[in-house]
Amino acid sequence: RIEAYVLFRPVPAGSEREVVAIGAVAGAPGRALLALLLARVQAGGHRVRIPMIAEQEMSFAVLAEMGFRLERETIGYVAANQPA
């Protein structure tokens, strides 16, 4: 059973690491495991960045508790299905 995960890739121009997938089970145990994984990703002084994420994927409050801050906000649009 996977209780927390972080999938990242290095950013070519620098020492940043970009998170492409992140998640954890609800509650304190999930947050604790996620914090441990993020500490491993940051090892060696790497800055960690999450370029896009939705509140449904990971609570923004949990990310803020772990030291992340909002850099920018993206608004998306979806077209309604139109009968042909």
Side-chain angles (χ1 to χ4, degrees):
R1 176 173 124 170
I2 298 173
E3 296 187 6
Y5 63 91
V6 176
L7 177 64
F8 68 93
R9 63 181 173 204
V11 176
S15 65
E16 259 185 27
R17 291 183 171 171
E18 185 175 88
V19 174
V20 294
I22 187 170
V25 296
R31 286 194 305 271
L33 290 169
L34 193 57
L36 288 171
L37 290 174
L38 285 168
R40 298 284 296 172
V41 174
Q42 293 172 315
H46 296 284
R47 183 171 174 237
V48 176
R49 193 171 164 272
I50 304 172
M52 278 197 292
I53 193 165
E55 177 79 26
Q56 295 83 2
E57 297 173 90
M58 174 64 58
S59 165
F60 293 163
V62 170
L63 290 173
E65 287 173 12
M66 287 191 246
F68 286 92
R69 61 176 172 75
L70 181 63
E71 185 175 71
R72 68 173 181 235
E73 191 170 347
T74 303
I75 299 172
Y77 292 91
V78 177
N81 289 338
Q82 299 289 329

